[in-house]
Coordinates of all heavy atoms in Angstrom, one line a residue:
M1355 N 177.0 220.6 112.0 CA 175.8 221.3 112.6 C 176.2 221.8 114.0 O 176.8 221.1 114.8 CB 174.6 220.3 112.7 CG 173.9 220.1 111.4 SD 172.3 219.4 111.7 CE 172.7 217.7 112.1
N1356 N 175.7 223.0 114.2 CA 176.0 223.6 115.5 C 174.8 223.2 116.5 O 173.8 222.6 116.1 CB 176.2 225.1 115.5 CG 174.9 225.8 114.9 OD1 173.8 225.4 115.1 ND2 175.2 226.9 114.1
S1357 N 175.0 223.5 117.8 CA 174.0 223.1 118.7 C 172.7 223.8 118.6 O 171.6 223.2 118.9 CB 174.5 223.3 120.2 OG 174.8 224.7 120.4
T1358 N 172.7 225.0 118.1 CA 171.4 225.7 117.8 C 170.6 225.0 116.7 O 169.4 224.8 116.9 CB 171.7 227.1 117.4 OG1 172.5 227.8 118.3 CG2 170.4 227.9 117.2
Q1359 N 171.2 224.5 115.7 CA 170.5 223.8 114.6 C 170.0 222.5 115.2 O 168.9 222.1 114.8 CB 171.4 223.6 113.4 CG 170.7 223.0 112.2 CD 171.6 223.0 111.0 OE1 172.8 223.3 111.0 NE2 171.0 222.6 109.9
N1360 N 170.8 221.8 116.0 CA 170.3 220.5 116.6 C 169.1 220.7 117.4 O 168.2 219.9 117.4 CB 171.5 219.9 117.4 CG 172.5 219.3 116.5 OD1 172.3 219.0 115.3 ND2 173.7 219.1 117.1
K1361 N 169.1 221.8 118.2 CA 167.9 222.1 119.1 C 166.7 222.3 118.2 O 165.6 221.9 118.6 CB 168.2 223.3 119.9 CG 169.2 223.0 121.0 CD 169.5 224.3 121.9 CE 170.5 224.0 122.9 NZ 170.8 225.2 123.7
K1362 N 166.8 223.0 117.1 CA 165.7 223.3 116.2 C 165.2 222.0 115.6 O 164.0 221.7 115.5 CB 166.1 224.2 115.1 CG 166.3 225.6 115.6 CD 166.7 226.5 114.4 CE 167.0 228.0 114.9 NZ 167.4 228.8 113.8
I1363 N 166.1 221.1 115.2 CA 165.7 219.8 114.6 C 165.0 218.9 115.7 O 164.0 218.3 115.4 CB 166.9 219.1 114.0 CG1 167.4 219.8 112.8 CG2 166.6 217.6 113.7 CD1 168.8 219.4 112.3
E1364 N 165.5 219.0 116.9 CA 164.9 218.2 118.0 C 163.4 218.7 118.3 O 162.7 217.9 118.9 CB 165.7 218.3 119.2 CG 167.0 217.5 119.1 CD 168.0 217.7 120.3 OE1 167.6 218.5 121.2 OE2 169.1 217.1 120.2
Q1365 N 163.1 219.9 117.9 CA 161.7 220.4 118.2 C 160.7 219.8 117.3 O 159.5 219.8 117.6 CB 161.7 221.9 118.0 CG 162.4 222.6 119.1 CD 162.5 224.1 118.9 OE1 162.1 224.6 117.8 NE2 162.9 224.9 119.9
V1366 N 161.1 219.2 116.2 CA 160.2 218.6 115.2 C 159.7 217.2 115.8 O 160.5 216.3 116.0 CB 160.8 218.4 113.8 CG1 159.9 217.7 112.9 CG2 161.3 219.8 113.3
K1367 N 158.4 217.1 116.0 CA 157.9 215.9 116.6 C 156.9 215.2 115.5 O 156.7 215.8 114.5 CB 157.1 216.2 117.8 CG 157.9 217.0 118.9 CD 158.9 216.1 119.5 CE 159.7 216.9 120.6 NZ 161.0 216.5 120.8
E1368 N 156.4 214.1 115.9 CA 155.4 213.4 115.0 C 154.2 214.2 114.7 O 153.6 214.0 113.6 CB 155.0 212.1 115.6 CG 156.2 211.0 115.7 CD 155.7 209.7 116.2 OE1 154.5 209.4 116.1 OE2 156.6 209.0 116.7
T1369 N 153.8 215.1 115.5 CA 152.6 215.9 115.3 C 152.9 217.2 114.5 O 152.0 218.0 114.3 CB 152.0 216.3 116.6 OG1 152.9 216.9 117.5 CG2 151.5 215.0 117.4
T1370 N 154.2 217.4 114.2 CA 154.6 218.7 113.5 C 154.2 218.6 112.0 O 154.4 217.6 111.3 CB 156.1 218.9 113.6 OG1 156.4 218.9 115.0 CG2 156.5 220.2 113.0
M1371 N 153.7 219.7 111.5 CA 153.4 219.9 110.1 C 154.3 221.1 109.6 O 154.2 222.2 110.2 CB 151.9 220.2 109.8 CG 151.7 220.3 108.3 SD 150.1 221.0 107.8 CE 149.0 220.0 108.7
I1372 N 155.0 220.9 108.6 CA 155.8 221.9 108.0 C 155.1 222.5 106.8 O 154.7 221.7 105.9 CB 157.2 221.4 107.6 CG1 158.0 220.9 108.8 CG2 158.0 222.5 106.9 CD1 157.9 219.4 109.1
V1373 N 155.0 223.8 106.7 CA 154.2 224.4 105.6 C 155.2 225.4 104.9 O 155.8 226.3 105.6 CB 153.0 225.2 106.2 CG1 152.3 225.9 105.0 CG2 152.1 224.3 106.9
G1374 N 155.3 225.2 103.6 CA 156.1 226.1 102.8 C 155.2 227.0 102.1 O 154.2 226.6 101.5
I1375 N 155.5 228.3 102.1 CA 154.6 229.3 101.5 C 155.4 230.1 100.5 O 156.5 230.6 100.8 CB 154.0 230.2 102.5 CG1 153.2 229.4 103.5 CG2 153.2 231.3 101.9 CD1 152.6 230.3 104.7
D1376 N 154.9 230.3 99.3 CA 155.5 231.1 98.3 C 154.6 232.3 98.1 O 153.5 232.2 97.6 CB 155.7 230.3 97.0 CG 156.2 231.1 95.8 OD1 156.8 232.2 96.1 OD2 156.1 230.7 94.7
I1377 N 155.1 233.5 98.4 CA 154.3 234.7 98.3 C 154.8 235.4 97.0 O 155.9 235.8 96.9 CB 154.6 235.6 99.5 CG1 154.2 234.9 100.8 CG2 153.8 236.9 99.3 CD1 152.8 234.6 101.0
G1378 N 153.9 235.5 96.1 CA 154.2 236.1 94.8 C 153.5 237.5 94.8 O 152.9 237.9 95.7
S1379 N 153.6 238.2 93.7 CA 153.0 239.5 93.6 C 151.5 239.4 93.4 O 150.8 240.3 93.9 CB 153.6 240.3 92.4 OG 153.3 239.6 91.2
E1380 N 151.0 238.4 92.8 CA 149.5 238.2 92.7 C 149.0 236.9 93.2 O 148.0 236.9 93.8 CB 149.1 238.4 91.2 CG 149.4 239.8 90.7 CD 148.9 240.0 89.3 OE1 148.0 239.2 88.9 OE2 149.4 240.9 88.6
K1381 N 149.8 235.8 92.9 CA 149.3 234.5 93.4 C 150.3 234.0 94.5 O 151.5 234.3 94.5 CB 149.3 233.5 92.2 CG 148.3 233.8 91.2 CD 148.2 232.6 90.2 CE 147.1 232.9 89.2 NZ 147.0 231.8 88.3
H1382 N 149.7 233.3 95.4 CA 150.4 232.7 96.5 C 150.1 231.2 96.6 O 149.0 230.8 96.3 CB 150.1 233.4 97.8 CG 149.9 234.9 97.7 ND1 151.0 235.7 97.4 CD2 148.9 235.7 97.9 CE1 150.6 237.0 97.4 NE2 149.3 237.0 97.7
Y1383 N 151.1 230.4 97.0 CA 150.9 229.0 97.1 C 151.5 228.5 98.4 O 152.4 229.1 99.0 CB 151.7 228.3 95.9 CG 151.2 228.7 94.6 CD1 151.8 229.8 93.9 CD2 150.2 228.0 94.0 CE1 151.3 230.1 92.6 CE2 149.7 228.3 92.7 CZ 150.3 229.4 92.0 OH 149.8 229.7 90.8
F1384 N 150.9 227.3 98.8 CA 151.5 226.6 100.0 C 151.6 225.1 99.7 O 150.8 224.6 98.9 CB 150.8 227.0 101.3 CG 149.5 226.3 101.4 CD1 149.4 225.0 102.0 CD2 148.3 226.9 101.0 CE1 148.1 224.4 102.2 CE2 147.1 226.3 101.2 CZ 147.0 225.0 101.7
R1385 N 152.5 224.5 100.4 CA 152.6 223.0 100.4 C 152.8 222.6 101.8 O 153.5 223.3 102.6 CB 153.8 222.6 99.5 CG 153.6 222.9 98.1 CD 154.8 222.4 97.3 NE 154.5 221.1 96.7 CZ 155.2 220.6 95.7 NH1 156.2 221.3 95.2 NH2 154.9 219.5 95.2
A1386 N 152.3 221.5 102.2 CA 152.4 221.0 103.5 C 153.1 219.6 103.5 O 152.9 218.8 102.6 CB 151.0 220.8 104.2
F1387 N 154.0 219.4 104.5 CA 154.8 218.2 104.7 C 154.6 217.7 106.2 O 154.5 218.5 107.1 CB 156.2 218.4 104.4 CG 156.5 218.9 103.0 CD1 156.4 220.3 102.7 CD2 156.8 218.1 102.0 CE1 156.7 220.7 101.4 CE2 157.0 218.5 100.7 CZ 157.0 219.9 100.4
N1388 N 154.7 216.4 106.4 CA 154.7 215.9 107.7 C 156.1 215.9 108.3 O 157.0 216.4 107.6 CB 154.0 214.5 107.8 CG 154.9 213.4 107.2 OD1 156.0 213.6 106.8 ND2 154.3 212.2 107.2
W1389 N 156.3 215.5 109.5 CA 157.5 215.5 110.2 C 158.6 214.7 109.5 O 159.8 215.0 109.7 CB 157.4 215.1 111.6 CG 157.0 213.7 111.8 CD1 155.8 213.1 111.7 CD2 157.9 212.7 112.3 NE1 155.9 211.8 111.9 CE2 157.2 211.5 112.3 CE3 159.2 212.6 112.6 CZ2 157.7 210.3 112.7 CZ3 159.8 211.4 113.0 CH2 159.0 210.3 113.0
R1390 N 158.3 213.8 108.7 CA 159.3 212.9 108.0 C 159.6 213.5 106.6 O 160.5 213.0 105.9 CB 158.7 211.5 107.7 CG 158.6 210.7 109.0 CD 158.1 209.3 108.6 NE 158.1 208.5 109.8 CZ 157.6 207.3 109.8 NH1 157.0 206.8 108.7 NH2 157.6 206.6 110.9
G1391 N 159.0 214.6 106.2 CA 159.2 215.2 104.9 C 158.4 214.7 103.8 O 158.6 215.0 102.6
I1392 N 157.3 213.9 104.2 CA 156.4 213.4 103.2 C 155.4 214.4 102.9 O 154.8 215.0 103.8 CB 155.7 212.1 103.7 CG1 156.8 211.0 103.9 CG2 154.7 211.6 102.7 CD1 156.3 209.7 104.6
E1393 N 155.2 214.7 101.6 CA 154.3 215.8 101.2 C 152.8 215.4 101.5 O 152.3 214.3 101.1 CB 154.4 216.0 99.7 CG 153.7 217.3 99.3 CD 154.1 217.7 97.8 OE1 155.0 217.1 97.3 OE2 153.4 218.6 97.3
L1394 N 152.1 216.3 102.1 CA 150.7 216.1 102.4 C 149.7 216.6 101.4 O 148.6 216.2 101.3 CB 150.3 216.7 103.8 CG 151.1 216.1 105.0 CD1 150.8 216.9 106.3 CD2 150.9 214.6 105.2
T1395 N 150.2 217.6 100.6 CA 149.5 218.2 99.5 C 150.0 217.6 98.2 O 151.2 217.4 98.1 CB 149.6 219.7 99.5 OG1 151.0 220.0 99.5 CG2 148.9 220.3 100.7
R1396 N 149.1 217.2 97.3 CA 149.6 216.6 96.1 C 150.3 217.6 95.2 O 151.1 217.2 94.4 CB 148.4 215.9 95.4 CG 147.8 214.8 96.3 CD 146.9 214.0 95.5 NE 147.7 213.2 94.6 CZ 147.3 212.1 94.0 NH1 146.0 211.7 94.2 NH2 148.0 211.5 93.2
K1397 N 149.9 218.8 95.2 CA 150.5 219.9 94.4 C 150.4 221.2 95.2 O 149.7 221.2 96.2 CB 149.7 220.0 93.1 CG 148.3 220.3 93.2 CD 147.6 220.3 91.9 CE 146.1 220.6 92.1 NZ 145.4 220.7 90.8
P1398 N 151.1 222.2 94.8 CA 151.0 223.5 95.5 C 149.5 224.0 95.4 O 148.9 223.9 94.4 CB 151.9 224.4 94.7 CG 152.8 223.5 94.0 CD 152.1 222.2 93.7
V1399 N 149.1 224.5 96.5 CA 147.7 225.0 96.7 C 147.7 226.5 96.6 O 148.4 227.1 97.4 CB 147.1 224.5 98.0 CG1 145.6 225.0 98.1 CG2 147.1 223.0 98.1
A1400 N 147.0 227.1 95.7 CA 146.9 228.5 95.5 C 146.0 229.1 96.6 O 145.0 228.5 96.9 CB 146.4 228.9 94.1
F1401 N 146.3 230.3 97.1 CA 145.4 231.0 98.0 C 145.6 232.5 97.8 O 146.6 232.9 97.2 CB 145.7 230.6 99.4 CG 147.0 231.1 100.0 CD1 147.0 232.2 100.7 CD2 148.1 230.3 99.8 CE1 148.2 232.7 101.3 CE2 149.3 230.8 100.3 CZ 149.4 231.9 101.1
K1402 N 144.6 233.2 98.2 CA 144.6 234.7 98.0 C 145.1 235.3 99.3 O 145.0 234.7 100.4 CB 143.2 235.2 97.7 CG 142.6 234.7 96.4 CD 141.2 235.3 96.2 CE 140.7 234.8 94.9 NZ 139.3 235.2 94.7
L1403 N 145.7 236.5 99.2 CA 146.2 237.1 100.4 C 145.1 237.4 101.4 O 145.3 237.1 102.6 CB 146.9 238.4 100.0 CG 147.6 239.2 101.1 CD1 148.7 238.3 101.7 CD2 148.2 240.5 100.5
Y1404 N 144.0 238.0 101.0 CA 143.0 238.3 101.9 C 142.0 237.1 102.1 O 141.5 236.6 101.1 CB 142.2 239.5 101.5 CG 143.0 240.7 101.3 CD1 143.5 241.2 100.1 CD2 143.5 241.4 102.5 CE1 144.3 242.3 100.0 CE2 144.4 242.5 102.4 CZ 144.8 242.9 101.2 OH 145.6 244.0 101.1
G1405 N 142.0 236.6 103.3 CA 141.2 235.4 103.5 C 142.0 234.1 103.3 O 141.5 233.0 103.6
G1406 N 143.1 234.2 102.7 CA 143.9 233.0 102.3 C 144.5 232.3 103.5 O 144.7 231.1 103.5
I1407 N 144.8 233.1 104.6 CA 145.4 232.5 105.8 C 144.3 231.6 106.4 O 144.6 230.5 106.9 CB 145.9 233.6 106.8 CG1 146.9 234.4 106.1 CG2 146.4 232.9 108.0 CD1 148.2 233.7 105.6
Q1408 N 143.1 232.0 106.4 CA 142.0 231.2 106.9 C 141.8 229.9 106.1 O 141.6 228.8 106.6 CB 140.7 232.0 107.0 CG 140.6 233.0 108.0 CD 140.7 232.4 109.4 OE1 140.3 231.4 109.7 NE2 141.5 233.1 110.3
Q1409 N 142.0 230.1 104.8 CA 141.9 228.9 103.9 C 143.1 227.9 104.2 O 142.9 226.7 104.2 CB 142.0 229.4 102.4 CG 142.0 228.2 101.4 CD 142.3 228.7 100.0 OE1 142.4 229.9 99.7 NE2 142.4 227.8 99.1
L1410 N 144.2 228.5 104.4 CA 145.4 227.7 104.8 C 145.1 226.9 106.1 O 145.4 225.7 106.2 CB 146.6 228.5 104.9 CG 147.9 227.9 105.4 CD1 148.6 227.2 104.2 CD2 148.8 228.9 106.0
L1411 N 144.6 227.6 107.1 CA 144.4 227.0 108.4 C 143.3 225.9 108.3 O 143.3 225.0 109.1 CB 144.0 228.0 109.4 CG 145.1 229.0 109.8 CD1 144.6 230.1 110.7 CD2 146.3 228.3 110.4
Q1412 N 142.3 226.1 107.4 CA 141.2 225.2 107.3 C 141.4 224.1 106.3 O 140.6 223.1 106.2 CB 139.9 225.9 107.0 CG 139.5 226.9 108.0 CD 138.3 227.7 107.6 OE1 137.9 227.7 106.5 NE2 137.8 228.6 108.5
Y1413 N 142.5 224.1 105.6 CA 142.8 223.1 104.6 C 143.0 221.7 105.2 O 143.7 221.6 106.2 CB 144.1 223.5 103.8 CG 144.4 222.6 102.6 CD1 143.7 222.8 101.5 CD2 145.3 221.6 102.7 CE1 143.9 222.0 100.4 CE2 145.5 220.8 101.6 CZ 144.8 220.9 100.5 OH 145.1 220.1 99.4
D1414 N 142.3 220.7 104.7 CA 142.4 219.4 105.2 C 143.4 218.6 104.4 O 143.2 218.0 103.4 CB 141.0 218.7 105.1 CG 141.0 217.3 105.8 OD1 142.0 216.9 106.3 OD2 140.0 216.7 105.8
C1415 N 144.7 218.5 104.9 CA 145.7 217.9 104.2 C 145.5 216.4 104.1 O 145.9 215.7 103.2 CB 147.1 218.1 104.9 SG 147.6 219.8 104.8
G1416 N 144.9 215.8 105.1 CA 144.6 214.3 105.1 C 143.7 213.9 104.0 O 143.9 213.0 103.3
T1417 N 142.7 214.7 103.8 CA 141.7 214.4 102.7 C 142.4 214.6 101.4 O 142.2 213.8 100.5 CB 140.5 215.4 102.8 OG1 139.9 215.2 104.1 CG2 139.5 215.1 101.8
D1418 N 143.1 215.7 101.2 CA 143.8 215.9 99.9 C 144.8 214.9 99.6 O 145.0 214.5 98.4 CB 144.4 217.3 99.9 CG 145.0 217.7 98.5 OD1 144.1 217.7 97.6 OD2 146.2 217.9 98.4
A1419 N 145.6 214.4 100.6 CA 146.6 213.4 100.3 C 146.1 212.1 99.9 O 146.8 211.3 99.2 CB 147.4 213.2 101.6
E1420 N 144.8 211.8 100.2 CA 144.2 210.5 99.8 C 143.6 210.6 98.4 O 143.3 209.6 97.8 CB 143.1 210.1 100.8 CG 143.7 209.9 102.2 CD 142.6 209.7 103.2 OE1 141.4 209.7 102.8 OE2 142.9 209.5 104.4
K1421 N 143.5 211.7 97.8 CA 142.8 211.9 96.4 C 143.8 211.4 95.4 O 145.0 211.5 95.5 CB 142.5 213.3 96.2 CG 141.3 213.8 97.1 CD 141.0 215.2 96.7 CE 139.9 215.7 97.7 NZ 139.6 217.1 97.5

């Protein structure tokens, strides 16, 4: 690993949430992980392009992870 990659890894803290987003032609999905790589969403969550970013920001990962 080079020093740039190490600096990026060091930026990940306990309060960091990593969100992976798959943008498709019609459907889009996201998954959320905590700083340890533990998945906070039980399955990929579908969202729409328009208004979907607000849905993503308002999604309660803690509640979904407990279901």
Side-chain angles (χ1 to χ4, degrees):
M1355 282 197 282
N1356 59 34
S1357 62
T1358 304
Q1359 188 173 6
N1360 286 339
K1361 288 179 184 178
K1362 290 179 182 179
I1363 292 170
E1364 289 172 359
Q1365 291 176 347
V1366 177
K1367 306 291 182 205
E1368 290 183 23
T1369 57
T1370 303
M1371 181 190 314
I1372 296 96
V1373 178
I1375 300 176
D1376 178 15
I1377 303 295
S1379 61
E1380 293 185 22
K1381 291 187 177 183
H1382 316 298
Y1383 297 92
F1384 75 88
R1385 293 178 100 161
F1387 300 85
N1388 70 5
W1389 67 283
R1390 290 184 176 170
I1392 298 172
E1393 190 172 352
L1394 300 174
T1395 53
R1396 298 193 71 160
K1397 58 183 180 179
V1399 179
F1401 69 96
K1402 296 180 181 179
L1403 183 60
Y1404 299 105
I1407 301 300
Q1408 289 299 322
Q1409 178 186 356
L1410 175 83
L1411 294 173
Q1412 294 174 356
Y1413 187 78
D1414 185 359
C1415 292
T1417 302
D1418 187 61
E1420 295 171 2
K1421 291 181 184 175

